[in-house]
């Protein structure tokens, strides 16, 4: 099956209530699980996978899978589709380096699939983007040329709650900032300054979509002491206010079993 033929079947967001264990079952479709909160162990055939926040797992159809432990406070997105595409590389289990992009795609998927005005193929297209995003993040993990770039991106992500400049990054890694910007662009990424901006935007998006934190607290989480400065920053780069973005994807399908 080609990626262009993949169709969305069902999707939703699971939120546990009290103690929970993943049911034992065999289903006739593949399933993507994207972890948001908590952790649990799941076995498929004779393989065991530890699921943590930002993990993606692709369960195969017609294969027994079952939870191995009882947990509380677990939440993840899920989507079912007929079968794996054979024209892109997909891992079994992956820790995402950019979970905010995946979170946005799942929120879009649930919004489109639960809003009658959207045609069915809109959900198919978003599912294909989800699969493509998994492929891109998986393939880049094995590229040695991106090792330094990935290290810098991780440093930016860890320090996203602080003001960060290109000079700060150059000093931290002992490279000329112009050289690092060229290295980023050769890796199909924007320069240092734009990478910092995008990381802050991605983190803000993630918190807007996955939490109920007040926007002033989210501003602090991405390195802005001034709430008003954060509003100006976000609207300048995204074209909408943080509250407008948060309210864009309200439709969802929740389940607790």
């Amino acid at each position: 099956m080609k990626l262009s033929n993949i169709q969305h079947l069902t999707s939703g967001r699971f939120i546990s209530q009290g103690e929970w264990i993943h049911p034992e079952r065999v289903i006739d479709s593949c399933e993507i699980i994207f972890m948001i909160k908590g952790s649990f162990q799941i076995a498929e055939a004779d393989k065991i996978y530890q699921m943590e926040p930002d993990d993606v797992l692709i369960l195969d159809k017609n294969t027994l899978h079952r939870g191995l432990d009882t947990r509380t406070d677990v939440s993840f997105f899920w989507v079912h589709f007929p079968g794996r595409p054979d024209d892109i590389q997909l891992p079994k289990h992956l820790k995402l380096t950019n979970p905010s992009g995946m979170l946005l795609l799942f929120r879009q998927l649930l919004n489109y699939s639960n809003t009658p005005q959207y045609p069915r193929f809109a959900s198919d297209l978003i599912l294909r983007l989800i699969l493509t995003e998994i492929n891109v993040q998986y393939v880049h993990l094995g590229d040695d040329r991106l090792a330094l770039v990935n290290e810098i991106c991780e440093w930016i992500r860890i320090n996203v709650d602080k003001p960060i400049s290109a000079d700060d990054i150059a000093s931290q890694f002992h490279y000329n900032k112009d050289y690092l910007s060229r290295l980023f662009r050769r890796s199909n990424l924007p320069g240092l300054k734009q990478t910092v901006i995008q990381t802050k935007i991605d983190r803000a998006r993630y918190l807007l979509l996955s939490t109920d934190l007040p926007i002033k607290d989210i501003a602090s989480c991405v390195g802005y002491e001034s709430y008003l400065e954060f509003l100006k920053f976000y609207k300048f780069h995204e074209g909408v206010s943080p509250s407008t973005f948060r309210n864009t994807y309200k439709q969802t399908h929740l389940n607790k079993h």
Side-chain angles (χ1 to χ4, degrees):
M1 184 182 299
K2 302 298 183 184
L3 178 64
S4 59
N5 295 326
I6 295 291
Q7 293 184 323
H8 169 267
L9 298 177
T10 57
S11 56
R13 179 174 180 179
F14 171 80
I15 301 175
S16 66
Q17 296 187 359
E19 292 188 343
W20 168 83
I21 185 171
H22 196 287
E24 180 174 329
R25 61 185 183 177
V26 176
I27 55 177
D28 61 358
S29 61
C30 291
E31 178 183 6
I32 298 171
I33 294 175
F34 170 42
M35 284 292 291
I36 299 297
K37 187 178 183 181
S39 64
F40 71 95
Q41 282 192 330
I42 185 170
E44 185 184 62
D46 59 349
K47 298 289 186 181
I48 298 174
Y49 303 96
Q50 177 71 28
M51 297 297 293
E52 304 283 350
D54 304 336
D55 283 357
V56 164
L57 177 67
I58 303 178
L59 296 171
D60 291 319
K61 63 181 180 180
N62 302 323
T63 305
L64 177 69
H65 58 264
R66 66 196 188 283
L68 298 178
D69 53 358
T70 300
R71 297 294 179 97
T72 59
D73 205 18
V74 173
S75 179
F76 56 82
F77 287 100
W78 55 269
V79 57
H80 291 271
F81 55 103
R84 281 175 173 258
D86 55 19
D87 53 349
I88 61 171
Q89 287 183 278
L90 291 173
K92 187 68 181 173
H93 184 224
L94 177 69
K95 172 73 73 175
L96 296 177
T97 56
N98 178 22
S100 60
M102 186 64 72
L103 177 62
L104 178 58
L105 287 172
F106 265 100
R107 290 297 293 263
Q108 289 176 319
L109 176 64
L110 268 57
N111 183 65
Y112 293 159
S113 63
N114 288 283
T115 304
Q117 291 86 345
Y118 286 104
R120 176 175 175 173
F121 71 80
S123 299
D124 298 339
L125 293 174
I126 296 297
L127 171 59
R128 293 166 196 166
L129 285 175
I130 288 172
L131 291 165
T132 301
E133 180 69 18
I134 294 171
N135 163 260
V136 169
Q137 295 205 36
Y138 173 60
V139 169
H140 277 193
L141 283 177
D143 191 341
D144 291 338
R145 295 171 301 173
L146 294 179
L148 176 59
V149 171
N150 288 337
E151 185 179 357
I152 293 172
C153 287
E154 180 65 7
W155 184 86
I156 294 171
R157 186 190 68 80
I158 292 171
N159 292 280
V160 74
D161 60 339
K162 303 178 182 69
I164 302 172
S165 69
D167 286 329
D168 294 332
I169 298 168
S171 175
Q172 174 68 25
F173 290 91
H174 309 291
Y175 284 96
N176 179 278
K177 66 180 180 181
D178 294 329
Y179 166 77
L180 291 178
S181 282
R182 290 195 299 271
L183 182 64
F184 269 59
R185 293 190 182 98
R186 285 201 298 269
S187 303
N188 296 319
L189 293 170
L192 290 180
K193 180 180 178 180
Q194 191 58 39
T195 296
V196 172
I197 290 171
Q198 192 59 52
T199 302
K200 289 180 179 289
I201 290 291
D202 286 347
R203 183 61 178 166
R205 282 176 171 177
Y206 185 90
L207 293 172
L208 288 166
L209 293 178
S210 65
T211 74
D212 295 321
L213 283 173
I215 293 174
K216 64 181 180 61
D217 291 347
I218 293 176
S220 178
C221 289
V222 296
Y224 280 84
E225 294 183 3
S226 168
Y227 169 72
L228 293 178
E229 284 298 314
F230 172 69
L231 292 184
K232 288 169 57 179
F233 164 80
Y234 192 93
K235 189 165 186 178
F236 178 81
H237 291 287
E238 293 295 278
V240 296
S241 69
S243 57
T244 298
F245 175 79
R246 172 175 265 171
N247 292 327
T248 299
Y249 304 107
K250 283 294 187 182
Q251 297 292 341
T252 191
H253 171 195
L254 297 178
N255 65 300
K256 59 183 180 180
H257 300 295

